[in-house]
Amino acid sequence: MNSTPAVSLAALKTPYYLLDEAAIVANMQIIARLCELSGAKALLALKCFATWGVFDVMEPYLHGTTSSSLNEVRLGYETFGNNSADINNNVNNQDKKETHAYSVAYSADEIDEVLSYADKIIFNSISQLNAFKGQAAAKNIPVGLRLNPKTSNSSFIIADPARPFSRLGEHDKDKIAAVLGDITGVMIHNNCENDSFEAFSASLADIEDRFGDVLAQLEWVSLGGGIHFIAPDYPLEKLADRLKGFSEKYGVQVYLEPGEASIHGAGSLVTTVLDTMHNEKNLAVVDASIEAHMLDLLIYRESAPIASINGEFMAIAPVNKDQVDDAVDNTIIYGRSCLAGDIFGEYALPSNLQVGDKIAFGNAAGYTMVKKNWFNGVNMPAIVIRRLDGSIDIQREFDYQDYKASLS
Ligand SMILES: Cc1ncc(COP(=O)(O)O)c(C=O)c1O
């Protein structure tokens, strides 16, 4: 790592992702409080965020990581936790961190390696369970199964684990009951950015109604991620009570798998305006790409919020897509890839953008850094970290050799 305390953000070459450790810790404190009040354990979902350069500040608050592949479970094992210097008072962290393994489908040639990193392994289907439970038993690794309740709180069909014909988990209670002897727990992930406690609680009640007798025979239940309890007005205590009651009723250790909640609001993508044009509206092209560097927004047809312009903090939400047509003074900020729709968003800005202006797009940590790609060979943003003491570290820079090496 290139740790240069004297680095100033103003001098940094764009584009770069900027992670703010203080903002991460603020989220961590909410998670730790939820765990303390409820008895639940929280595992960072590496699929959402895996920038291990900031794991030191997350470890004290979380109980471990969960994963969706061999590479992720290995990363969690290698980089997250078991550092006694991190122990703090918020969470009883005397225990070793846990490394949960899950994958939609494991291949036979990777399962032994997965098991060498895992403290628990969760299979997505009964057929995968049957194929690999022997190997897990031989290594004394507790086994779980993903349960699909066929109901969810997700406003996006693409992210809905309970979508019709979903492959994500088993739903047939009789079949699940028949393999209870092989498992000690289940994982249920059926929320997506759900900021309603009532909706969460109702859907948990539905799961209890339908699977309660199964739950009562388990030792642990992971309720996955997707609960937006990080929102300032979320009733955290109610959620904690609900989780505690659930855990006591069935005699299970509850796990949560927060991804987005762990790093919400803690990252931005800092870019520079390379060109401005006019085509009925003001247009600006920045030195990054939504498709390459904030792909999730493109997938979900969303726009990026602006966090600052030229270093001045000004939270500017993108203009609501239904209201944009007549707004000729608006500025559309484009990425520099050739994709016609490489659009960060349309904004009503206080003044027109100029070449050289620096735009920081907000909320650029979750499902963003893990999905970055080399489309068009566009420069890969560096990874820059504002440490808790305010110093700036350039954690990683990328160059032509990285691009070339990714291709052949
Ligand atoms: C099984 C599982 N756990 C946890 C998560 C993390 O969800 P979020 O980032 O919304 O908290 C996901 C997200 O897709 C998931 O599929």
Side-chain angles (χ1 to χ4, degrees):
M1 188 178 75
N2 181 7
S3 181
T4 333
V7 171
S8 100
L9 284 180
L12 285 185
K13 193 170 169 333
T14 63
Y16 57 88
Y17 295 102
L18 176 62
L19 291 172
D20 186 347
E21 286 190 340
I24 295 174
V25 167
N27 292 349
M28 291 293 110
Q29 287 169 339
I30 296 173
I31 295 175
R33 182 165 155 68
L34 178 62
C35 290
E36 195 177 277
L37 294 174
S38 66
K41 294 186 176 181
L43 309 173
L44 174 65
L46 293 174
K47 73 183 69 185
C48 172
F49 181 77
T51 305
W52 44 270
V54 295
F55 282 180
D56 277 357
V57 299
M58 305 179 89
E59 284 165 12
Y61 302 92
L62 301 177
H63 298 85
T65 55
T66 188
S67 56
S68 19
S69 63
L70 167 59
N71 283 334
E72 280 190 359
V73 73
R74 178 175 176 178
L75 188 78
Y77 176 82
E78 286 184 357
T79 63
F80 199 95
N82 308 322
N83 178 353
S84 53
D86 285 337
I87 291 168
N88 93 0
N89 294 329
N90 288 321
V91 170
N92 176 6
N93 251 1
Q94 308 295 330
D95 299 333
K96 169 186 173 303
K97 301 294 178 188
E98 289 190 45
T99 308
H100 283 205
Y102 163 75
S103 168
V104 168
Y106 286 114
S107 63
D109 63 355
E110 65 188 6
I111 199 74
D112 278 330
E113 190 181 348
V114 169
L115 289 166
S116 74
Y117 307 124
D119 295 300
K120 284 191 178 64
I121 186 161
I122 298 157
F123 293 109
N124 184 64
S125 68
I126 290 174
S127 48
Q128 285 250 309
L129 170 72
N130 286 335
F132 302 126
K133 66 185 180 192
Q135 277 152 283
K139 295 196 165 160
N140 276 326
I141 308 287
V143 170
L145 180 67
R146 182 165 183 170
L147 191 155
N148 186 333
K150 289 198 126 185
T151 55
S152 64
N153 294 295
S154 171
S155 29
F156 301 100
I157 182 78
I158 192 174
D160 185 355
R163 61 187 275 144
F165 321 113
S166 174
R167 74 197 182 301
L168 299 173
E170 295 285 356
H171 61 274
D172 184 322
K173 201 177 111 183
D174 293 340
K175 289 186 181 162
I176 296 166
V179 297
L180 275 176
D182 294 325
I183 62 175
T184 55
V186 292
M187 184 268 277
I188 304 165
H189 169 79
N190 71 334
N191 289 283
C192 178
E193 295 194 17
N194 178 10
D195 59 5
S196 160
F197 167 72
E198 283 70 29
F200 168 79
S201 180
S203 114
L204 191 59
D206 174 57
I207 291 168
E208 294 183 77
D209 280 350
R210 291 189 291 129
F211 296 97
D213 45 346
V214 165
L215 301 177
Q217 297 179 63
L218 300 171
E219 293 169 20
W220 53 273
V221 174
S222 173
L223 295 173
I227 313 170
H228 200 55
F229 55 75
I230 215 79
D233 53 354
Y234 195 94
L236 199 74
E237 284 76 13
K238 277 192 186 174
L239 176 63
D241 278 357
R242 184 72 174 90
L243 297 176
K244 192 162 190 270
F246 177 89
S247 156
E248 287 169 356
K249 182 168 176 191
Y250 300 102
V252 292
Q253 171 64 54
V254 169
Y255 288 90
L256 300 172
E257 303 179 357
E260 184 62 35
S262 301
I263 40 68
H264 191 77
S268 52
L269 174 63
V270 185
T271 66
T272 301
V273 175
L274 297 179
D275 197 7
T276 60
M277 297 168 71
H278 198 88
N279 182 359
E280 296 179 48
K281 295 188 184 193
N282 300 314
L283 316 180
V285 181
V286 296
D287 58 357
S289 157
I290 194 105
E291 179 162 38
H293 309 137
M294 291 185 85
L295 181 61
D296 219 40
L297 295 180
L298 195 65
I299 294 172
Y300 290 92
R301 296 170 190 275
E302 293 194 327
S303 302
I306 290 179
S308 69
I309 299 182
N310 293 327
E312 200 179 318
F313 290 98
M314 45 173 88
I316 301 177
V319 178
N320 184 326
K321 289 208 170 77
D322 303 332
Q323 299 166 357
V324 295
D325 282 352
D326 301 328
V328 290
D329 293 336
N330 281 358
T331 302
I332 301 177
I333 303 184
Y334 281 96
R336 73 190 302 196
S337 87
C338 66
L339 180 75
D342 191 334
I343 296 173
F344 282 89
E346 176 165 341
Y347 310 88
L349 298 179
S351 58
N352 285 347
L353 293 174
Q354 310 292 328
V355 170
D357 282 347
K358 272 194 185 172
I359 315 287
F361 296 100
N363 217 14
Y367 299 102
T368 296
M369 301 174 80
V370 289
K371 292 190 179 188
K372 56 201 174 64
N373 64 72
W374 284 102
F375 182 57
N376 269 211
V378 174
N379 283 349
M380 185 61 75
I383 298 171
V384 178
I385 301 171
R386 186 189 283 119
R387 298 292 180 190
L388 285 179
D389 65 4
S391 64
I392 300 294
D393 277 345
I394 302 172
Q395 173 78 20
R396 178 86 155 91
E397 290 173 293
F398 302 89
D399 61 16
Y400 170 72
Q401 296 305 335
D402 296 299
Y403 164 63
K404 188 178 177 191
S406 77
L407 291 171
S408 282

